[in-house]
Structures are given as structure tokens and as C-alpha cells.
Amino acid sequence: CGVFGIYAPGENVAKLTYFGLYALQHRGQESAGIATFEGTQVHLHKDMGLVSQVFNESILDQLPGSLAVGHTRYSTTGSSRKVNAQPAVLETRLGSLALAHNGNLVNTVQLRQELLENKCNLVTTTDSEMIAFAIAEAINAGADWLEGAIQAFHRCQGAFSLVIGTPNGVMGVRDPNGIRPLVIGTLAGNPVRYVLASETCGLDIIGAEYLRDVEPGELVWITEEGLASYHWSQQPQRKLCIFEMIYFARPDSVMHNESLYSYRMRLGHQLAKESFVDADIVFGVPDSGIPAAIGFSQASGVAYAEGLIKNRYVGRTFIQPTQTMRESGIRMKLNPLKDVLAGKRVIIVDDSIVRGTTSRKLVKTLREAGAVEVHMRISSPPVTHPCFYGIDTDSQDQLIAATKSVAEIAKQLEVDSLAYLSWEGMLEATREDTNSFCSACFTGDYPVAIPEQVKRSKLS
Ligand code: 5GP
Ligand code: SF4
Ligand code: MG
């Protein structure tokens, strides 16, 4: 999911949030929503669809206020329905709260039970709503906004980057492992105004300047007095999702002081070093495979050319919830360039193979278009384990690399050769401490323990 928050009295906060969400659209295409606060009054609009489908000028005009939070949804828990769209708005003793969540809790079974015992009226099926209820519960028992939120966060296990609107200000929060990203930006002026976004591309679009990341286990509270920071977790550690870097986040977003485009090019360099093969051209699977393909070309000397053209108006195939939709989505999306491919030995680079369905189709497409050899290179290691923290990599039995060796996968995809980047190569390219990432979908080493019953739902 994508989350956005802004505290900027005097500005059109709904419009700024709209543009922020627009830039974060790649993080979720199922539903979109904005909540604004005008004093104690909350205004909310949310619906299924893309940001540009859910909002228009007149809807935005009906969302006045001095602060706002917004969300674009990508469903991993809870069904794909309008009631599950966010922000989730609840009433508390101190007024309304509007919560937007990116990530996935792993202790939802227990949390749901506790909340139901306390007679919470859960209306949706999402873990996000449970967080909102846990905050409301603490506040109704006497806590203030900060205490109430922190008490609730201690009951949550898993991944949560949150933006929360209240009548008094906006909160930005990351879980103790900082699995999902969240950045702080500033809008110039007197006083300076603060913005929160999942990625820096959500700041760029409104002309906000990147200040810093919200730290793992940190809560920032943005009010008329400015920005205050609270380190609420006793055991914070850096476990940013490495999949954000190799695939999920936008290439123009900056993490660790460089664009992910540069990082992904370096993955391509490393991939060429590890698994060079001679060929006439190399290209990436649009869009996610392109930076690594350029890197592969630079490091190997194999000419870069476009072999596939993408219709950019079709959503990411894997975000659509059913297998049937996924398969038809692929056909709508990529078209081969026959005159570029005919008679050529080609290297096709992609960021990952999950189920293998896209890749197998693509190889077939390339051969039909005249490619004489098809070599596939993947800029991350084999995905062998499911994600429980908010990326929809499906259950383990759906993952092609969970049960098959690289040679077996090559055979199934009908490629002439297949190589994945090594785990070490992927981490080395980050130029950060290798311990500061979650890479559980490649290793099975989950930084937040997965309760048994949840494990059983996805691990075979
Ligand atoms: P596959 O061959 O596994 O069907 O699809 C691989 C493609 O899906 C790659 O181009 C990759 O960009 C994209 N992809 C990346 N991350 C994910 C993910 O988390 N889930 C799924 N299903 N596909 C993803
Ligand atoms: Fe990211 Fe994989 Fe960890 Fe999930 S399991 S948070 S996709 S690195
Ligand atoms: Mg892709």
C-alpha cells in the first residue's frame, strides 16, 4: 500500500494528498482514500479504483481542512471490497482518528479475539482496522493520543508503517523492524510544514524536500508546534524489506541516499559478473526489469535494446487478486518487437520470478517473435518463501522456486539458460550492512516470528 500524510494549515491539503497518492499509485491499485480534518470535523472520501478514478476536483473541494491522510490499497489481508478501503475512520473519546496502514500484522488472530472480547465493533476484515480499534480502546480507557497510540503499537506484531490523522495533528509510525518504508518531507514556508509518504517520489511530486526516514520503532507527531519524535520500541532494528529495493518501490525513489534506479543497475552489473552469457541483445521485462538490464548491458558489453513494449495503462498484473485475472492481464500488457527479436540470441532480465507464469508466457512470446536463443537472468535470488509482511508473494506451494531447482525451472520456462543473482550479490549491491534487511522470501529467516496458525496458511 501507499500512505501519505500532511499537516499544512492554509494549504489545500486534500489536493496535495491527492498528488502524493498519485505518485504512490504503484503501491496499490485496488482502492484509494483521503481523510481531512477541519478542526474536530473529519471529511472522508474513499472508493475502489485508481486515485484518478476515485477523486475529481469537486470531490477534493468537499475535503477542506488543515491536515490530511491518504491511502492507496493493495490487498494482502481482507477481501477486495469497498469497506476495506482506507483511511479507516473511528470515533474516540478525544475525537475522530483516521488511519492509513502499509504492511501486514502477523498476530491478527489473537488481536481480533482480544478486540472482540472487549466488544469492539469490527466492521471490516483488515488488520488495519484492528490497529485503529486498539488505539481507540486505549484512548477510551483514558490515554491521550500519544499514549493510546503507543499502547496499541505494543500489541501489534508484524509490519506497519502508519499515517494517522487526529484533530490535533498527524502521526507517522514505523514498526520496530521498519519493514515498510516511510519518509518525512518538508514544505518550505514559515512555519515549515511536514509531509509523510511511503516513498520519496510522493514528496517530489508536491515539491516537498526529503528530510529523513521515520526510524524503525519511531513515532513522529506533527502538530502546530512542529515535529516531535518518540522512540517507542525497546528493541528497534533495521529490517527494511529488500523486495522494496529490488522491485516494489518506484525506481526514482531514494533509499539509503541513492535512487533505486542506481541500485537496480548495480544488481544488473553484479548479475553480469556472476552469470555472463554471450548474446546479441539484452533487455528488461518492462518496467521492473529495465534498470537491471541496463546494468547487465553496461557490465557485459552486450547491446541493450528493447524487445518488449508495455502498455503502461494496464495495472501491475500481480496486484490483481485472482489467477484468471492475472493471466489475462499479462496478455494485455506486453507486446514483442518482432523486427528487433527476429534471428537474435537474447538475454531477458527480470527482477524476480514468483510463480513463473509471467516468465513462461514471455519466453514463448519471444520465440514466436523470432528469437533463436532465450537466456533469462534474474536480478534477485529464487523466491522460496512466502511474505507475511505485506507483499503478495502468495502461499509457498505457488512459488516455483520452493519446490524446483534452477535447472528444473529453466526447463519449465523453456529457456536456453537461467541464472539468478546470488543472495550475497544482492545484499552487497545495497552497500549497507547485510543484517539491515528482511530477505525472508529468499531465506525463510523471518525477522518477526510468524504464529503457527498463520504459518500453516501459507507454508507447505
Ligand atoms: P512470474 O513469472 O513469477 O509470474 O512473474 C514475475 C514478475 O512478477 C516479475 O516481472 C516481477 O516484476 C513481478 N513481481 C514482482 N514482485 C512480485 C510479487 O511480489 N508477487 C508477484 N506475484 N509478482 C511479482
Ligand atoms: Fe520483503 Fe520478502 Fe521480507 Fe516480505 S519476506 S518483507 S517481501 S523481504
Ligand atoms: Mg516485472
Side-chain angles (χ1 to χ4, degrees):
C1 302
V3 298
F4 187 90
I6 181 166
Y7 183 90
E11 297 284 341
N12 187 334
V13 290
K15 223 170 204 181
L16 292 170
T17 304
Y18 170 83
F19 285 111
L21 293 181
Y22 201 83
L24 297 170
Q25 183 74 79
H26 63 288
R27 297 186 66 88
Q29 290 125 39
E30 226 175 74
S31 66
I34 297 176
T36 59
F37 284 76
E38 189 183 25
T40 56
Q41 207 186 345
V42 61
H43 303 277
L44 171 70
H45 182 80
K46 57 183 179 178
D47 209 338
M48 304 302 289
L50 300 175
V51 177
S52 60
Q53 296 168 322
V54 171
F55 295 98
N56 59 35
E57 290 270 0
S58 77
I59 291 171
L60 291 171
D61 285 344
Q62 288 156 34
L63 300 172
S66 51
L67 64 95
V69 299
H71 189 261
T72 60
R73 176 150 198 265
Y74 155 59
S75 74
T76 51
T77 64
S79 53
S80 168
R81 292 185 299 146
K82 189 177 165 183
V83 288
N84 287 338
Q86 293 186 33
V89 172
L90 280 189
E91 294 310 312
T92 77
R93 183 178 63 85
L94 300 175
S96 304
L97 81 83
L99 177 144
H101 173 210
N102 173 210
N104 212 28
L105 299 189
V106 297
N107 66 328
T108 44
V109 177
Q110 187 200 336
L111 196 56
R112 169 175 289 272
Q113 201 167 350
E114 288 173 14
L115 290 168
L116 289 174
E117 274 163 20
N118 295 339
K119 310 236 172 338
C120 269
N121 210 353
L122 295 173
V123 287
T124 76
T125 53
T126 67
D127 53 344
S128 313
E129 191 199 23
M130 292 182 218
I131 306 175
F133 268 106
I135 298 171
E137 200 173 84
I139 286 174
N140 294 340
D144 66 17
W145 285 111
L146 278 179
E147 290 161 4
I150 291 172
Q151 281 174 29
F153 303 151
H154 281 292
R155 296 171 70 183
C156 298
Q157 285 158 29
F160 48 102
S161 279
L162 304 169
V163 171
I164 303 170
T166 75
N168 302 27
V170 177
M171 275 180 222
V173 182
R174 277 173 93 198
D175 66 72
N177 295 286
I179 294 175
R180 299 283 145 233
L182 187 64
V183 299
I184 309 169
T186 56
L187 271 178
N190 191 12
V192 159
R193 278 77 45 90
Y194 292 96
V195 183
L196 297 161
S198 293
E199 300 175 28
T200 61
C201 67
L203 304 178
D204 297 338
I205 192 170
I206 61 160
E209 194 160 337
Y210 169 77
L211 177 68
R212 64 176 179 86
D213 290 3
V214 176
E215 297 293 320
E218 187 188 17
L219 183 166
V220 296
W221 182 215
I222 304 164
T223 64
E224 61 181 356
E225 277 147 41
L227 183 143
S229 158
Y230 303 87
H231 293 272
W232 58 271
S233 165
Q234 279 76 53
Q235 288 115 3
Q237 55 172 350
R238 284 171 197 285
K239 288 289 174 188
L240 176 67
C241 167
I242 191 88
F243 229 79
E244 291 273 353
M245 300 200 38
I246 60 169
Y247 164 73
F248 198 65
R250 237 168 71 163
D252 52 334
S253 285
V254 173
M255 291 185 185
H256 307 116
N257 304 314
E258 73 170 347
S259 71
L260 295 177
Y261 179 81
S262 297
Y263 169 63
R264 291 169 191 173
M265 282 224 294
R266 218 157 44 242
L267 293 176
H269 294 172
Q270 186 68 27
L271 189 58
K273 265 194 247 165
E274 290 183 11
S275 59
F276 174 78
V277 55
D278 197 22
D280 302 310
I281 55 171
V282 54
F283 56 88
V285 180
D287 291 313
S288 55
I290 289 175
I294 294 172
F296 191 105
S297 167
Q298 288 176 347
S300 65
V302 176
Y304 181 80
E306 308 244 359
L308 291 163
I309 297 299
K310 175 175 169 178
N311 177 345
R312 297 221 153 72
Y313 305 95
V314 180
R316 283 186 183 192
T317 50
F318 84 95
I319 279 170
Q320 299 170 11
T322 72
Q323 184 70 16
T324 331
M325 287 169 79
R326 241 178 237 132
E327 282 169 13
S328 64
I330 295 160
R331 278 194 297 275
M332 291 193 295
K333 212 166 108 171
L334 293 167
N335 213 14
L337 281 164
K338 289 190 180 130
D339 49 350
V340 173
L341 295 163
K344 299 280 172 38
R345 299 169 300 159
V346 309
I347 302 172
I348 174 172
V349 179
D350 207 349
D351 60 273
S352 54
I353 301 178
V354 180
R355 299 171 191 84
T357 42
T358 323
S359 313
R360 187 181 149 86
K361 271 200 173 101
L362 279 179
V363 174
K364 199 156 171 257
T365 305
L366 297 177
R367 292 205 197 272
E368 283 166 4
V372 292
E373 285 178 24
V374 179
H375 302 278
M376 187 172 281
R377 295 294 177 269
I378 305 297
S379 64
S380 65
V383 173
T384 52
H385 288 73
C387 179
F388 296 92
Y389 310 134
I391 298 269
D392 182 21
T393 44
D394 237 325
S395 59
Q396 197 174 26
D397 53 7
Q398 303 286 308
L399 304 174
I400 192 169
T403 50
K404 289 185 163 62
S405 68
V406 175
E408 287 166 337
I409 298 169
K411 201 162 158 210
Q412 175 153 344
L413 303 183
E414 297 180 37
V415 287
D416 294 282
S417 77
L418 169 68
Y420 287 88
L421 184 62
S422 67
W423 182 80
E424 292 79 8
M426 173 183 73
L427 287 170
E428 194 186 297
T430 65
R431 296 175 173 164
E432 296 284 318
D433 175 359
T434 55
N435 286 319
S436 58
F437 296 94
C438 173
S439 61
C441 47
F442 306 112
T443 61
D445 182 8
Y446 293 101
V448 180
I450 316 293
E452 272 312 313
Q453 75 247 68
V454 178
K455 229 185 223 172
R456 264 182 266 129
S457 69
K458 279 188 170 183
L459 279 170
S460 39

